[in-house]
């Protein structure tokens, strides 16, 4: 079809085409899928890469490590605010225009982040980058939902899943390599050519369906109260999750204040939006059982995926002595396993009830986490670490695509923008909760286990013999008698700390396993979506 023919299609006809065959704008649907995936992959990858570069950023800009964490916090706050309102913005200005604006903002701000001469400007540019990045994922997911008919949507979401799951897996490896061999500034510069290519291709390939263009032309009043409430609420909540453990949670007046602000703003937001004729976020979608439970499952998936992605490399670096690049290499094979499995899962979705795939995925993920909780110890080799990650990601591959399929079931096509924004927020908030949970429990549970272990390190012939053996070895290395005894006690204490930390890691893995296991019966509460059938209703 020519552009004139596409423009002549009525909104009602475009709704029918979108529902039955998918709206491609006259292009191959897989071309559309690959074009919109580029920017999302770039955005998710950049988040994972920046984590590894923080120590180098702190040293280069002459700031403390604690101050450098604002590079992450500023991005997460602005990203979280944009995610849920991305559907509303796309409806008002047009989805293609919104997508390309986000792409442009992310690319330009990435370039400016690489040039930033001080921490203040870097944080400001990261806020802009988070605003641009927050709209890319939801826009892509909504475009895929409209481009492919329901029967083929599983394969389309598999492509999106590759970007979202693979990028965090290879991010630490790539970030470690770039930072070690070049400069942390190139972590941001590499986004620029990808962003330019994405914008050029998007301008040529993407075409908004007429029913979206009609929605753009309907001028509804701007819900300023709703916008303000969600910006304040999610911004405060993101700050609490990111800074909570660092500030000792509710022992800090700042954390208490921000928690109260987040609770009041978000509760007020839900009540306000529920009564609005033109809400910023369609909170009434949560009346649908499939939509509500799917978002809960996506939240838990984010907790398991991002929590374990932080936990394993952290353990390998702190207690196994791995470099950031080597720790990232332990995660990468798991990401490639997901890439191999996602197309298979997308194809299975057209033949098997999505609920069975979700239940299987959560069961495998839970068993893998329980297995890791009984296998992880300070002496594991690289091969074991890689296998533990592979076991876990094998289950996650069966979750992402089916959950995204169920969340769209029963939702009319004109609501796709809203659905994609909310479900992406659920995944991101789940990741933030998972990371905060990991950091907090490791700190708290390690103190508990250390206290328990110290109580059992009592004077005994075995302990005396051990200290004497270590002291003798130290004397042979040239240490004095008194110094060698002190060093021997230091080694014993170091082993206690190491064992306490390991037990804390095992506790976190066990808890994540419990959360994922609880989702298996939750799947049974959703309605059945016919395999290969229509996943949306008019």
């Amino acid at each position: 079809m020519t552009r004139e023919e596409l423009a002549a299609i009525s909104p009602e006809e475009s709704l029918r085409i979108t529902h039955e065959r998918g709206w491609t704008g006259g292009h191959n649907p897989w071309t559309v899928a690959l074009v919109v995936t580029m920017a999302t992959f770039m955005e998710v990858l950049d988040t994972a890469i920046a984590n590894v570069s923080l120590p180098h950023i702190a040293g280069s800009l002459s700031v403390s490590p604690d101050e450098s964490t604002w590079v992450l916090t500023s991005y997460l706050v602005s990203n979280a605010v944009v995610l849920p309102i991305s559907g509303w913005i796309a409806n008002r200005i047009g989805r293609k225009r919104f997508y390309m604006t986000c792409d442009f903002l992310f690319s330009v701000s990435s370039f400016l982040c690489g040039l930033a001469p001080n921490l203040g400007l870097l944080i400001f540019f990261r806020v802009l980058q988070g605003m641009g990045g927050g709209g890319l994922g939801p826009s892509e997911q909504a475009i895929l939902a409209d481009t492919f008919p329901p029967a083929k949507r599983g394969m389309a979401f598999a492509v999106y899943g590759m970007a979202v799951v693979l990028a965090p897996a290879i991010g630490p490896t790539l970030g470690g390599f770039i930072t070690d061999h070049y400069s942390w500034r190139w972590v941001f510069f590499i986004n620029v050519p990808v962003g330019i290519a994405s914008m050029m291709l998007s301008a040529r390939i993407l075409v908004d369906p007429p029913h979206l263009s009609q929605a753009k032309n309907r001028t509804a009043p701007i819900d300023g109260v709703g916008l303000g409430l969600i910006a304040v609420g999610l911004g405060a909540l993101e700050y609490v999750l990111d800074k909570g453990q660092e500030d000792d949670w509710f022992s800090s007046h700042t954390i208490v204040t921000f928690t109260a602000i987040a609770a009041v703003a978000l509760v007020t937001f839900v009540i306000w939006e529920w009564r609005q004729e033109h809400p910023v976020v369609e909170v009434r979608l949560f009346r649908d059982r499939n939509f509500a439970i799917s978002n809960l499952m996506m939240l838990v998936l984010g907790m398991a995926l991002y929590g374990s992605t932080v936990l394993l490399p952290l353990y390998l670096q702190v207690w196994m002595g791995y470099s950031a690049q080597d720790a990232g290499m332990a995660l990468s094979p798991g990401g490639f396993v997901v890439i191999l499995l996602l197309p298979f899962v997308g194809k299975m979705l057209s033949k098997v009830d999505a609920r069975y795939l979700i239940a299987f995925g959560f069961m495998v993920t839970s068993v893998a986490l329980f297995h890791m909780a009984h296998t992880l110890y300070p002496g594991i080799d690289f091969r074991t670490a890689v296998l533990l990650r592979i076991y876990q990601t094998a289950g996650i591959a069966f979750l992402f695509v089916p959950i995204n399929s169920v969340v769209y079931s029963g939702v009319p096509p004109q609501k796709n923008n809203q659905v994609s924004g909310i479900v992406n927020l659920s995944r991101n908030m789940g990741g933030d909760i998972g990371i905060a949970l990991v950091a907090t429990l490791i700190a708290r549970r390690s103190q508990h286990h250390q206290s328990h272990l110290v109580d059992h390190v009592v004077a005994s012939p075995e302990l005396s013999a051990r200290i004497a053996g270590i002291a003798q070895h130290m004397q042979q290395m040239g240490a004095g008698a008194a110094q060698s005894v002190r060093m021997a006690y230091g080694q014993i204490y170091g082993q206690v700390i190491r064992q306490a930390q390991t037990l804390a890691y095992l506790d976190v893995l066990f808890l994540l396993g419990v959360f994922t296991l609880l989702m298996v019966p939750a799947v049974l509460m959703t309605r059945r979506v016919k395999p290969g059938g229509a996943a949306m209703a008019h």
Side-chain angles (χ1 to χ4, degrees):
M1 286 187 179
T2 64
R3 290 187 179 271
E4 290 75 16
E5 292 173 326
L6 292 171
I9 296 176
S10 67
E12 294 76 14
E13 180 66 9
S14 79
L15 266 175
R16 186 188 65 78
I17 294 173
T18 301
H19 179 64
E20 295 178 359
R21 302 198 304 270
W23 179 268
T24 63
H27 299 281
N28 185 299
W30 291 108
T31 302
V32 177
L34 292 176
V35 166
V36 295
T37 300
M38 290 174 60
T40 302
F41 181 81
M42 170 184 70
E43 187 267 332
V44 179
L45 179 68
D46 186 79
T47 306
I49 288 179
N51 295 350
V52 180
S53 306
L54 284 185
H56 298 266
I57 292 174
S60 174
L61 300 181
S62 301
V63 296
S64 68
D66 287 346
E67 290 175 315
S68 70
T69 60
W70 278 103
V71 174
L72 299 181
T73 304
S74 56
Y75 181 90
L76 293 173
V77 169
S78 60
N79 194 267
V81 171
V82 171
L83 274 171
I85 64 174
S86 59
W88 177 79
I89 300 174
N91 286 338
R92 291 193 68 89
I93 69 173
R95 188 167 61 198
K96 176 180 177 179
R97 181 179 297 174
F98 175 62
Y99 177 78
M100 293 189 64
T101 301
C102 289
D103 199 346
F104 175 78
L105 180 59
F106 186 86
S107 302
V108 170
S109 56
S110 295
F111 181 72
L112 294 174
C113 284
L115 295 178
N118 54 59
L119 182 63
L121 282 176
L122 178 58
I123 291 173
F124 174 72
F125 296 143
R126 282 286 281 177
V127 170
L128 298 180
Q129 191 185 35
M131 293 171 62
L136 292 175
S139 297
E140 181 196 347
Q141 197 166 344
I143 290 169
L144 292 178
D146 280 348
T147 301
F148 289 81
K152 297 181 180 179
R153 196 171 292 142
M155 288 297 292
F157 285 149
V159 175
Y160 177 68
M162 290 178 187
V164 173
V165 177
L166 177 63
I170 68 173
T173 307
L174 182 61
F177 177 83
I178 292 174
T179 306
D180 291 343
H181 292 83
Y182 299 98
S183 165
W184 63 267
R185 297 183 184 276
W186 281 98
V187 165
F188 300 107
F189 287 148
I190 61 172
N191 296 329
V192 178
V194 180
I196 293 173
S198 176
M199 283 186 285
M200 293 174 63
L201 292 171
S202 298
R204 186 176 183 84
I205 299 295
L206 299 184
V207 178
D208 281 347
H211 67 268
L212 283 184
S213 300
Q214 185 190 56
K216 178 183 68 174
N217 295 331
R218 288 198 296 263
T219 56
I222 297 177
D223 182 11
V225 174
L227 277 172
L229 287 172
I230 196 168
V232 172
L234 286 178
L237 178 60
E238 196 64 57
Y239 177 88
V240 170
L241 291 173
D242 195 56
K243 293 290 186 180
Q245 174 56 30
E246 182 182 321
D247 295 345
D248 197 22
W249 290 102
F250 298 113
S251 298
S252 165
H253 293 297
T254 304
I255 295 296
V256 171
T257 301
F258 273 83
T259 302
I261 292 173
V264 172
L266 292 176
V267 170
T268 307
F269 169 78
V270 172
I271 296 172
W272 175 268
E273 293 295 285
W274 199 276
R275 300 175 177 178
Q276 296 302 302
E277 183 180 356
H278 303 287
V280 174
V281 179
E282 290 275 1
V283 293
R284 287 187 291 268
L285 287 170
F286 283 93
R287 291 183 299 188
D288 182 88
R289 187 169 72 244
N290 274 23
F291 184 82
I293 296 175
S294 295
N295 274 279
L296 174 63
M297 291 189 294
M298 190 61 79
L299 184 84
V300 174
L301 171 59
M303 289 175 61
L305 174 62
Y306 290 98
S308 60
T309 300
V310 167
L311 188 144
L312 185 58
L314 184 65
Y315 187 82
L316 294 176
Q317 289 182 72
V318 174
W319 298 109
M320 301 289 291
Y322 283 35
S323 65
Q325 185 174 341
D326 290 338
M329 288 294 292
L331 298 184
S332 298
F336 290 114
V337 168
V338 173
I339 286 186
L340 295 175
L341 287 176
L342 278 175
F344 168 75
V345 175
K347 192 172 183 180
M348 287 289 292
L349 197 59
S350 63
K351 303 176 181 178
V352 181
D353 188 342
R355 298 179 303 173
Y356 297 152
L357 296 175
I358 295 172
F360 176 77
F362 273 121
M363 182 63 72
V364 171
T365 303
S366 180
V367 170
L369 288 167
F370 287 140
H371 174 66
M372 193 183 297
H374 288 85
T375 307
L376 194 68
Y377 69 98
I380 61 169
D381 57 11
F382 182 80
R383 178 176 177 273
T384 302
V386 169
L387 289 176
L388 289 175
R389 182 62 175 176
I390 288 176
Y391 297 153
Q392 183 201 346
T393 52
I396 288 175
F398 286 86
L399 295 174
F400 191 86
V401 177
I403 293 175
N404 273 301
S405 177
V406 173
V407 80
Y408 282 93
S409 65
V411 178
Q414 58 267 36
K415 301 288 186 183
N416 281 353
N417 289 339
Q418 287 279 356
V419 172
S420 61
I422 294 172
V423 76
N424 274 274
L425 175 67
S426 296
R427 190 192 72 246
N428 276 28
M429 292 307 297
D432 295 337
I433 293 170
I435 293 170
L437 186 71
V438 166
T440 301
L441 286 181
I442 287 177
R444 303 297 171 91
R445 295 298 295 174
S446 61
Q447 293 174 357
H448 168 78
H449 288 299
Q450 181 177 331
S451 175
H452 183 70
L453 290 174
V454 167
D455 289 340
H456 288 78
V457 180
V458 294
S460 65
E462 292 81 7
L463 178 62
S464 300
R466 175 87 177 196
I467 292 173
I470 297 174
Q472 183 178 2
H473 176 72
M474 293 299 173
Q475 289 183 32
Q476 292 173 354
M477 298 293 292
Q483 184 183 11
S484 64
V485 173
R486 287 196 299 270
M487 293 173 71
Y489 276 107
Q491 282 200 18
I492 295 294
Y493 182 63
Q495 291 178 15
V496 169
I497 294 177
R498 192 178 192 184
Q499 294 298 326
Q501 285 273 337
T502 300
L503 291 172
Y505 278 85
L506 301 185
D507 290 344
V508 176
L509 288 168
F510 182 83
L511 186 60
L512 291 176
V514 170
F515 284 143
T516 52
L517 185 61
L518 290 174
M519 290 299 101
V520 176
V523 178
L524 303 177
M525 299 172 64
T526 59
R527 296 187 309 274
R528 182 177 184 270
V529 179
K530 183 180 177 182
M536 297 189 300
H538 286 293

